[in-house]
Amino acid sequence: MDALETYGQLAARLAIDLAAVSVLTFAVYYPRHRRRDLVPAYLALNVALFSVVAALSRVGENGGMALGFGLFGVLSIIRLRSDSIQHEEVAYYFTTLVLGLLCALPHLPLAVAGALATLLLLVIHIADHPRLLSGTRRVVITLDVVHADQAALRADLARRLGEPLTWTVRKVDFVRDLMVVDVRFRVTELSGGVERRTRSTAQSAPRSRTIALPQALNAVRAGGDPNRPPAKETV
């Protein structure tokens, strides 16, 4: 009876974990960032950590749990070296690990594990919402001029990007006359209006007149005008 209860608790925890990581991956992360290559990584890391912590909790009460926390600490500092990961993607990466750890803890009640998993999903859903602080951007830009005056640098950044909020000069090269600047700026409404007007103008522009290629070739061979409509045949 105890074994059946243990397996039932493990199955319930696994169900909560899979439901939480599925919502995180397929309902929050992928619709916003569209990186399919990180989807199996998030799922595999979550289930792997859940399996290891659940197994170690059965091996020993103290040593197993301590080893599980140590494994979680090691995994949390691993960075994938094959490709660059943005900071928001690192947040998802860390959340998948936390979900696997919370749901696998044997002495944590199911209701508490479910509540904490829901809290994590709610926090990352709000924190990474596209409408939250949508007017600010960050970009690392390379300028083809070296500005010694901060006012001139601000004016140049405002002309190129928008209203600069803050910036940090990362590199200055006097030989090639360039500088690399990390800029936080606010997107102005003017640029959006110009973009919308340009798009509407392109859509409303008259389309060029085209003629079918076989019809044009036949008309040229006959010595006629390819743009003139064919004469009606009369009997």
Side-chain angles (χ1 to χ4, degrees):
M1 188 66 178
D2 294 336
L4 293 178
E5 184 178 358
T6 301
Y7 288 128
Q9 289 284 334
L10 182 62
R13 294 179 184 280
L14 180 60
I16 294 176
D17 178 61
L18 292 178
V21 75
S22 298
V23 171
L24 177 70
T25 305
F26 297 108
V28 181
Y29 171 74
Y30 185 74
R32 295 178 180 178
H33 299 277
R34 300 294 180 180
R35 286 198 59 174
R36 185 185 178 278
D37 55 329
L38 290 182
V39 170
Y42 290 152
L43 296 176
L45 285 171
N46 174 267
V47 177
L49 183 62
F50 177 90
S51 302
V52 171
V53 174
L56 291 177
S57 64
R58 300 296 185 272
V59 173
E61 291 295 332
N62 297 325
M65 291 304 299
L67 185 58
F69 277 105
L71 176 64
F72 169 73
V74 172
L75 290 176
S76 64
I77 63 176
I78 292 178
R79 295 292 303 272
L80 300 180
R81 301 299 181 181
S82 60
D83 195 5
S84 60
I85 301 179
Q86 302 296 327
H87 292 288
E88 60 270 14
E89 293 168 347
V90 174
Y92 284 96
Y93 178 80
F94 186 76
T95 304
T96 56
L97 296 176
V98 175
L99 288 174
L101 178 62
L102 283 177
C103 296
L105 292 176
H107 301 293
L108 188 67
L110 287 176
V112 177
L116 292 177
T118 304
L119 178 62
L120 283 174
L121 294 177
L122 182 62
V123 168
I124 198 168
H125 171 72
I126 297 176
D128 192 41
H129 199 278
R131 295 184 180 180
L132 182 65
L133 303 176
S134 59
T136 58
R137 298 287 188 275
R138 174 186 177 268
V139 66
V140 178
I141 185 173
T142 302
L143 302 177
D144 55 353
V145 61
V146 176
H147 293 286
D149 186 10
Q150 292 295 321
L153 177 58
R154 179 184 181 87
D156 193 6
L157 294 175
R159 179 178 59 86
R160 296 173 185 266
L161 302 175
E163 181 185 355
L165 300 176
T166 182
W167 62 87
T168 302
V169 178
R170 289 189 172 183
K171 180 181 179 181
V172 176
D173 191 341
F174 290 101
V175 177
R176 293 181 294 176
D177 197 18
L178 59 86
M179 63 188 308
V180 180
V181 187
D182 187 352
V183 189
R184 273 77 169 176
F185 64 97
R186 180 180 292 111
V187 180
T188 58
E189 297 180 358
L190 179 60
S191 60
V194 171
E195 183 179 356
R196 287 192 294 270
R197 287 196 299 269
T198 304
R199 188 182 298 112
S200 62
T201 303
Q203 293 176 354
S204 62
R207 298 180 178 178
S208 59
R209 183 181 178 182
T210 59
I211 58 176
L213 183 59
Q215 179 183 354
L217 291 177
N218 293 332
V220 171
R221 290 172 182 173
D225 186 5
N227 293 324
R228 184 178 62 188
K232 295 182 180 179
E233 184 180 358
T234 58
V235 179

